[in-house]
Amino acid sequence: DNFSGNSIDNTKWTTSGNTVLETTNTMEVLTTVTDGGGSLTSVPIPINASGKITITRQAFLHYANDYFIGAFLLKVDDQPWFGVDYANMDYSDGVSYMPCHGFCLIRNGARADFIQSQSDISAAMTPQWDTWFTEKITYDPTTGIMDYFLNDVSQLTFNVGILPPTTAPTMTLSFNAWGWY
């Protein structure tokens, strides 16, 4: 989707929360209601079971406070979500949640601020806030390796899991702007 119109193509995307808007060439996924941020999820997209899959996009990320963890997530068939958490999170209770700052690669449905999920989270990268940047993710379904690039510079490589044998795999993309308060 090149987002060339002014309305969301419901044959390609579903939305939830508050708020998701499409304006000329831009999709905005916002948090305009406390604990009710916007979410944009694609319909399943057919992919090849072998060969690298590349996803490239232009992104602009802004956090409004110290309680933000947005995400760009991918799901292949019924496997757990993997992708990128964009964190500016100060909250910590010392039991379940910890502070985290930066961009982190995640696997197995983890979230960067969950203490019990740390084995499924990469080291944090220096974030890109309040500026447009090019983001590229590659995923090799036969090796399970995801590579992450910012402005065409490799940042991290992370093993998110191989694609189990299947005849017609699909990938779903999801973007959210989770923010607290």
Side-chain angles (χ1 to χ4, degrees):
D1 197 334
N2 61 9
F3 309 122
S4 62
N6 288 314
S7 62
I8 297 166
D9 184 342
N10 294 324
T11 66
K12 296 178 181 176
W13 304 99
T14 59
T15 63
S16 61
N18 291 283
T19 297
V20 181
L21 305 168
E22 181 178 335
T23 57
T24 304
N25 298 324
T26 304
M27 183 66 75
E28 294 183 63
V29 181
L30 308 169
T31 295
T32 58
V33 173
T34 297
D35 297 337
S39 182
L40 174 73
T41 303
S42 74
V43 298
I45 302 162
I47 60 171
N48 291 326
S50 63
K52 226 176 237 191
I53 297 162
T54 301
I55 301 162
T56 304
R57 72 179 186 136
Q58 295 291 309
F60 184 97
L61 297 169
H62 171 78
Y63 61 86
N65 61 25
D66 295 329
Y67 304 107
F68 172 77
I69 299 184
F72 171 23
L73 302 172
L74 304 101
K75 184 175 188 150
V76 178
D77 287 342
D78 61 354
Q79 300 302 304
W81 290 98
F82 65 92
V84 187
D85 273 1
Y86 311 103
N88 188 60
M89 176 59 74
D90 283 350
Y91 179 76
S92 173
D93 65 4
V95 177
S96 298
Y97 301 97
M98 60 184 267
C100 58
H101 298 88
F103 294 178
C104 301
L105 303 183
I106 60 116
R107 64 182 169 220
N108 295 324
R111 199 171 96 179
D113 63 333
F114 289 168
I115 292 170
Q116 68 275 13
S117 296
Q118 292 306 297
S119 63
D120 290 318
I121 299 165
S122 74
M125 296 170 269
T126 302
Q128 298 283 313
W129 303 117
D130 298 317
T131 186
W132 284 98
F133 61 91
T134 301
E135 180 175 63
K136 180 170 80 172
I137 292 174
T138 64
Y139 170 65
D140 186 330
T142 57
T143 66
I145 298 296
M146 178 175 76
D147 292 305
Y148 184 79
F149 301 81
L150 281 174
N151 295 322
D152 296 321
V153 176
S154 177
Q155 301 293 310
L156 277 176
T157 297
F158 200 54
N159 189 328
V160 297
I162 64 169
L163 174 64
T166 183
T167 57
T170 62
M171 178 178 278
T172 302
L173 311 176
S174 184
F175 306 87
N176 74 67
W178 185 85
W180 184 34
Y181 294 104

